[in-house]
Amino acid sequence: MCQCDNSEAVSGPCCPSSLTDEMREIIQPLLPVRDLRKGGGVRKYGDRLVLDSIFYVLRSGCQWRMLPRDLMPWDAAHRWFTKWRRDGTWDRVHDEFRRQVRIGAGRDPEPSAAVIDAQSVRTSEGGEARGFDAGKRTPGRKRHMIVDTMGLLLVVAVTSASVQDRAGGRTVLTRLAAGFRTAGLVWADGGYANSVDSRLLSWARDALDIVVGIVKRTDDVKGFKVLPRRWVVERSSG
């Protein structure tokens, strides 16, 4: 049973999803600082308990209403999760942890190369965001994602499954160029360029100064085969 309380003095994890002290040192400076001059009451729950409650839901996959009573009320945890999603806090936290992992692996903090892929996900919900991927025969949505060469997420966009890889590729490549100036090379599979349509490659080169390299599967290979540079994004999307 989790032994958290509402104090900021709680030290160390109390359940597998809880923050370690090392993680908290990285996250704390990235959280919004409350301006007491704007008024408002004293906060009832500290940042650490808020984060532990949110991470419990994300790690366990449970519904918000099933949050254990010895954490914080589920509706308060959900409010903080939504607020930090809207103001970009989660993006800042994710980016900083990715930089720390890259540095720990002896890499530069920012990537110079990346890998792009798209994956259709079957779903019966989504309204206008739901479509049909004719190639994969999958109804639902499609994830367009770019990862670094370690498989760490850089950019993601979710569309209807009917959106072609090349169209979704323009969206995430544009975001990559805006957020990662050092990224100059992106590997992709044959779905992003073929003998009929290779305009994505020239557009990326001319408009974004990004070289898109196509890693092709050999026709004589049957079944699954690990392709150089491509496997990292397959691992991340799986």
Side-chain angles (χ1 to χ4, degrees):
M1 184 66 68
C2 181
Q3 299 300 319
C4 295
D5 60 27
N6 298 335
S7 170
E8 285 297 299
V10 178
S11 179
C14 57
C15 54
S17 60
S18 298
L19 286 177
T20 64
D21 292 334
E22 293 77 11
M23 292 170 62
R24 187 191 181 195
E25 289 180 2
I26 297 175
I27 293 179
Q28 191 65 48
L30 305 173
L31 300 179
V33 178
R34 184 181 181 188
D35 189 349
L36 298 178
R37 295 173 298 179
K38 295 183 179 180
V42 178
R43 280 185 56 180
K44 186 176 181 180
Y45 307 106
D47 286 337
R48 185 162 198 158
L49 186 60
V50 174
L51 290 166
D52 283 348
S53 301
I54 292 172
F55 288 161
Y56 183 92
V57 173
L58 299 181
R59 178 79 177 271
S60 69
C62 73
Q63 298 178 1
W64 286 98
R65 291 178 182 270
M66 296 180 67
L67 195 64
R69 294 180 181 273
D70 47 6
L71 288 169
M72 64 186 297
W74 72 267
D75 53 343
H78 185 266
R79 282 198 302 272
W80 280 104
F81 172 79
T82 302
K83 178 180 184 299
W84 287 343
R85 182 187 64 192
R86 290 174 175 171
D87 66 14
T89 296
W90 292 124
D91 290 334
R92 292 192 298 273
V93 170
H94 175 269
D95 291 345
E96 182 58 29
F97 272 102
R98 185 189 57 246
R99 283 190 285 267
Q100 293 291 334
V101 171
R102 288 182 59 87
I103 292 173
R107 308 287 188 92
D108 290 333
E110 303 298 332
S112 59
V115 189
I116 186 173
D117 194 21
Q119 181 188 48
S120 293
V121 180
R122 185 181 298 272
T123 176
S124 59
E125 300 179 357
E128 294 181 357
R130 182 174 178 268
F132 183 74
D133 183 340
K136 300 293 179 60
R137 298 184 178 277
T138 302
R141 301 178 184 176
K142 182 178 287 188
R143 295 190 296 240
H144 306 268
M145 57 192 301
I146 300 179
V147 303
D148 66 8
T149 54
M150 296 179 65
L152 303 176
L153 185 65
L154 301 176
V155 181
V156 66
V158 179
T159 67
S160 162
S162 60
V163 174
Q164 293 188 347
D165 291 358
R166 291 186 290 276
R170 286 190 176 230
T171 298
V172 288
L173 284 170
T174 299
R175 294 181 184 178
L176 179 73
F180 301 91
R181 303 280 184 177
T182 57
L185 173 62
V186 176
W187 285 285
D189 64 22
Y192 290 91
N194 52 39
S195 58
V196 177
D197 186 359
S198 61
R199 289 174 295 178
L200 179 67
L201 276 62
S202 57
W203 170 83
R205 182 185 63 247
D206 298 338
L208 305 178
D209 197 25
I210 292 177
V211 174
V212 177
I214 302 299
V215 180
K216 294 184 177 180
R217 177 189 176 93
T218 56
D219 296 334
D220 58 343
V221 175
K222 303 297 183 181
F224 175 77
K225 178 179 175 57
V226 174
L227 299 178
R229 301 296 182 183
R230 291 274 308 132
W231 70 274
V232 293
V233 70
E234 300 286 355
R235 179 189 64 188
S236 299
S237 61

